[in-house]
Amino acid sequence: MATSNILINGFQPLRLTVDRIGPFQDKIWSFDFTDREGAPCNFYLLVSANGKGKTTLIELMTCMMDMLGRDHLDKYGFESLDCGEGRAQWDILVSLSQNGKDKTVVLSLIAGTIGADTTLREWGEDDLQRLGAYSWHRFGFRRLASGRIEPIHGGDAWVEDFNLLIRTGQGEKLSDFENDALTYPTLLYFSAYRDIEQVSETSRAITQPSDWGYKIVHRFGKEGGQWTASLDNLLVWLKWLDDGRFERAVKIVNERIFRDSTKFLEGIRKDPPEAIVNNEDHVHRLDQLSSGEKSLVHICLRMGAHMTHNTLFLLDEMDVHLHSKWQHRILNWLKDMAKEHAGLTIIATTHSREIIKAYAFEVAEEGLRKGGFIIEDDLHSGTEGD
C-alpha cells in the first residue's frame, strides 16, 4: 500500500496478555481494554495497592509501542524482556482509510521469549467479525536462547507498510495544541515522578525543544535542568512561533488548573526567557509552584503539545501529590478530554479511594467507554470492572 495515501482513523487497545513479567509470574495474565459491549474503552483504570504491578504494565505498554517504526532491536529496554523469560502480546484495533476505502484490522504487538508460533493469544475469524475487523497481523521481536533479538513480522506486506508509515512520520511537524490533525498514533507516558525543576542553564535562546515534532513514544518525568528539554523553553518556542498555540496553551492551563485561584499563568518574560506565574501581582517561576500544581501543569502542557489525533495517554499514579479536591479535578478533566477527542485513549493507574469512587466503573457516562482491572493483593484473583 502507498503509505502517503493512508489516514489512520483509530488506534485502540483491545487486550494485553503477559507472562512472567514483573510480579505477574504465577500464570498468564490478561487485561481486557473493552467495555461491556465489546467496544474499546477510551478511559481505563488500573487499580491496586503499591508494588502490585500497575507501573510494570504501564512501562511494558510503553516499551512495546516503541517497537513500532523499527527494523531491528538490540534490546527492549525492559528488564523482564531483556533478562528474564518474560513475554507479552498487546492487541490493538487499527482503523484506517486508504485511497478512500476504509479498513479495520487487529494488530498484535509481540515481545519477549516467544516460541515458534509467536503468539500468546490467537485471533480467529469469529473474533475478528465481532470487531468488524478484516484481518489479523503481528508485529514485534522475539528473544532467542542466544540472547539475539529477531523480528517476527517478515513477509506480512501490511505490517511492513504500516511500520514504514510510522518510521517515515518521525519528526513530522505538529501544528496545533491539543487539536492536531496528524493521524499517526503516539503514546504519551507520564511517570509517577512528575516534577518541574529549575532550569540550571544560564545561557538560553529561542531554541527548538528537544523531541519536537512527531514521535511514536514520548516519556515524561522530571522537567527542567537542560534548557532545550524544559517547559520554559517549550512555552518560549510556542510564543516565538506566533501561530496561536501559545495563547491556547496559556488559556487551557489557566482554565483547568488555576480556575478559582489567585494564580494564573501570565506568559513569558524576556530576561531571562522563562514562563512566569502571577499570584496577586507576585511573579514567580513554574518550578516554584506547589508539587500538585507542577504535576498538573506538566501534564497539561506536554499532553497538548505532543498529542496527535490518535493518542494513547498513559498516566501512572494520577493522584500523586494531589489533595482530594485536585484528584476530582484531574479525573473530570481527563473525562472531558476523552469525550472531546475521539482518537484519545486514557489508561491511568491509582490506589486512591477518592479516584476509584468518583470513576464509578458501573455508572454509564455519555461519551465514555469505561473499563478497568483491580489487581488483588495476592495476585491470584484479579477481577475486571467496566
Side-chain angles (χ1 to χ4, degrees), residues 45-318:
L45 198 62
L46 284 164
V47 178
S48 79
N50 287 328
K52 301 303 179 182
K54 301 186 304 296
T55 298
T56 297
L57 296 174
I58 292 285
E59 291 183 347
L60 174 62
M61 288 183 280
T62 302
C63 167
M64 297 181 75
M65 185 77 167
D66 208 19
M67 297 188 302
L68 281 169
R70 300 178 185 269
D71 287 326
H72 70 278
L73 283 181
D74 296 322
K75 63 178 182 177
Y76 298 100
F78 188 85
E79 186 174 1
S80 295
L81 299 178
D82 284 321
C83 303
E85 296 298 314
R87 52 185 186 152
Q89 178 175 325
W90 193 17
D91 305 312
I92 298 171
L93 190 68
V94 183
S95 303
L96 51 90
S97 298
Q98 181 190 2
N99 299 322
K101 295 183 65 176
D102 294 335
K103 182 177 181 180
T104 300
V105 306
V106 172
L107 173 64
S108 294
L109 302 181
I110 300 171
T113 308
I114 303 290
D117 60 358
T118 70
T119 57
L120 288 172
R121 185 194 191 282
E122 298 280 338
W123 285 86
E125 288 298 323
D126 290 343
D127 300 318
L128 296 176
Q129 287 179 10
R130 279 194 293 270
L131 293 166
Y134 174 79
S135 55
W136 174 40
H137 303 271
R138 289 165 284 185
F139 173 90
F141 299 86
R142 64 177 176 178
R143 189 164 66 87
L144 305 179
S146 64
R148 186 171 64 88
I149 299 174
E150 68 173 17
I152 61 173
H153 47 276
D156 187 325
W158 186 91
V159 166
E160 296 293 344
D161 286 340
F162 185 79
N163 204 41
L164 176 62
L165 177 73
I166 301 301
R167 184 165 61 250
T168 56
Q170 301 293 318
E172 191 163 327
K173 177 183 176 182
L174 281 74
S175 57
D176 205 346
F177 191 89
E178 277 196 4
N179 288 316
D180 201 89
L182 199 67
T183 68
Y184 302 128
T186 191
L187 183 148
L188 310 181
Y189 166 48
F190 290 81
S191 81
Y193 303 100
R194 300 184 288 276
D195 194 10
I196 301 175
E197 300 178 327
Q198 183 178 358
V199 177
S200 59
E201 297 176 69
T202 57
S203 177
R204 307 177 189 182
I206 298 174
T207 306
Q208 178 174 294
S210 56
D211 292 333
W212 189 244
Y214 170 70
K215 282 184 65 177
I216 186 65
V217 165
H218 287 276
R219 293 176 172 88
F220 302 114
K222 291 184 177 181
E223 298 279 354
Q226 186 181 2
W227 168 246
T228 57
S230 68
L231 289 177
D232 289 288
N233 182 57
L234 172 65
L235 286 167
V236 168
W237 180 254
L238 291 178
K239 178 71 172 178
W240 180 80
L241 288 175
D242 193 27
D243 59 4
R245 274 184 282 185
F246 174 78
E247 291 76 15
R248 180 168 169 77
V250 170
K251 182 174 183 290
I252 286 174
V253 167
N254 287 331
E255 287 179 350
R256 293 193 184 142
I257 300 169
F258 298 126
R259 92 173 169 268
D260 304 325
S261 168
T262 58
K263 298 180 184 179
F264 62 95
L265 179 59
E266 184 172 305
I268 59 171
R269 56 184 161 203
K270 293 183 179 180
D271 187 21
E274 62 188 6
I276 54 173
V277 174
N278 189 310
N279 184 13
E280 296 182 326
D281 294 327
H282 170 66
V283 172
H284 61 80
R285 302 185 306 267
L286 291 179
D287 63 276
Q288 295 173 317
L289 291 166
S290 71
S291 57
E293 289 169 331
K294 286 191 286 186
S295 176
L296 295 177
V297 168
H298 178 194
I299 294 169
C300 193
L301 288 175
R302 286 301 182 191
M303 188 178 185
H306 299 288
M307 66 184 290
T308 67
H309 178 74
N310 293 294
T311 295
L312 305 182
F313 174 67
L314 274 55
L315 179 61
D316 196 16
E317 302 290 5
M318 65 185 298

Side-chain angles (χ1 to χ4, degrees), residues 45-52 54-55 192 315-322 327 348-357 373-375 377:
L45 198 62
L46 284 164
V47 178
S48 79
N50 287 328
K52 301 303 179 182
K54 301 186 304 296
T55 298
L315 179 61
D316 196 16
E317 302 290 5
M318 65 185 298
D319 51 289
V320 70
H321 302 311
L322 299 180
Q327 291 180 26
T349 77
T350 189
H351 50 67
S352 164
R353 293 183 179 180
E354 294 280 349
I355 292 287
I356 297 168
K357 182 178 179 180
F373 196 101
I374 301 173
I375 305 171
D377 288 344

